[in-house]
């Protein structure tokens, strides 16, 4: 099936058809959709972002403290870049800095885009059984479109970028936008995230969260399940999260 990457600046949708029915593991599951974060969840790129930030600030004459990595991971570009500007005192406008960071990231992923263990298998399974799936990221549309080319846009009914919502993660807006776009109830959706920022966003929207920690640990909580990797997540597992939903 041929898919086109939509224009920048809008919520993107890819139509899908001809999917088999849900497997018997679904039973009477209340699961309506699955929302997936991108960096650090599906693609092993959190380290790429930090490397680019280190390189860009080095070119500006500043050295980043490695402890700051936990502060900037998982957040929107404006927040992470803004924090680093304040921490270093670098003399560069925020808008110019974000362009440099996005340019550097695009150049880095042009050569390689490693998937997280279990990502390809999970996407294939969700696609095979026609589970409505959305990619929800704090990254900008220009970055999401590049990554979608490698992930396979046919796996996603919708994608939401950080520069397309009034407030991005940790606010609930991205996941509320995904829910509205797919016409589903957030309470009946499972979200897979790798950072505390993303987890906070999904939980604020009312979704059940599967946390797969990448850079910093995440504790289990009500409506939050922590797993060591995506290899522990399959469709039966996601349906099982919805057992308490009526």
């Amino acid at each position: 099936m041929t898919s086109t990457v939509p224009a920048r600046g809008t919520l993107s949708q890819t139509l899908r058809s001809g999917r088999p029915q849900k497997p018997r593991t679904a039973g009477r599951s209340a699961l309506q959709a699955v929302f997936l974060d991108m960096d650090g969840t599906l693609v092993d790129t959190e380290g790429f972002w930090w490397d680019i930030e280190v390189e860009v600030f080095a070119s500006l004459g500043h050295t980043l403290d490695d402890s700051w990595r936990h502060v900037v991971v998982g957040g929107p570009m404006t927040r992470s870049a803004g924090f680093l500007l304040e921490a270093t005192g670098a003399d560069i406008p925020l808008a110019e800095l974000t362009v440099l960071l996005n340019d550097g990231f695009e150049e880095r992923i042009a050569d390689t885009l490693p998937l997280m263990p279990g990502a390809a298998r999970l996407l294939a399974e969700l696609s095979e059984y026609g589970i409505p799936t959305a990619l929800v990221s704090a990254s900008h549309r220009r970055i999401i479109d590049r990554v979608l080319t490698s992930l396979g846009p046919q796996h996603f009914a919708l994608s939401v970028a950080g520069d397309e919502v009034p407030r991005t993660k940790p606010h609930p807006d991205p996941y509320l936008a995904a829910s509205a776009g797919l016409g589903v109830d957030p309470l009946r959706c499972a979200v897979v995230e790798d950072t505390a920022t993303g987890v906070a966003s999904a939980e604020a929207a009312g979704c059940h969260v599967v946390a797969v920690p990448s850079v910093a640990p995440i504790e289990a909580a009500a409506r939050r399940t922590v797993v060591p990797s995506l290899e522990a997540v399959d469709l039966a597992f996601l349906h099982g999260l919805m057992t308490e939903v009526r």
Side-chain angles (χ1 to χ4, degrees), residues 75-201:
M77 176 71 72
T78 52
R79 191 201 73 180
S80 57
F83 168 83
L84 294 175
L85 280 176
E86 183 176 351
T88 61
D91 185 19
I92 183 173
L94 178 60
E96 184 177 340
L97 176 60
T98 58
V99 170
L100 290 177
L101 294 173
N102 278 318
D103 285 349
F105 185 79
E106 281 195 86
E107 183 178 346
R108 182 66 59 91
I109 66 174
D111 298 325
T112 179
L113 186 58
L115 299 187
M116 299 297 289
R121 187 264 313 148
L122 178 59
L123 288 175
E125 185 178 14
L126 294 174
S127 185
E128 178 184 1
Y129 290 104
I131 304 300
T133 304
L135 185 66
V136 182
S137 175
S139 291
H140 289 187
R141 170 57 55 191
R142 60 179 287 195
I143 299 299
I144 288 183
D145 286 348
R146 289 290 298 274
V147 175
L148 273 172
T149 302
S150 296
L151 285 175
Q154 72 276 8
H155 293 304
F156 303 95
L158 177 77
S159 66
V160 180
D163 55 343
E164 295 174 342
V165 289
R167 302 176 302 173
T168 189
K169 303 174 185 179
H171 299 286
D173 303 40
Y175 286 108
L176 292 177
S179 300
L182 294 183
V184 295
D185 182 352
L187 292 174
R188 297 175 182 267
C189 296
V191 171
V192 185
E193 276 279 1
D194 72 303
T195 68
T197 299
V199 167
S201 174

Side-chain angles (χ1 to χ4, degrees), residues 38-40 43-50 105 109 112-114 116:
M38 188 175 74
D39 293 299
V43 289
D44 191 8
T45 49
E46 290 290 13
F48 286 11
W49 280 113
W50 179 248
F105 185 79
I109 66 174
T112 179
L113 186 58
M116 299 297 289

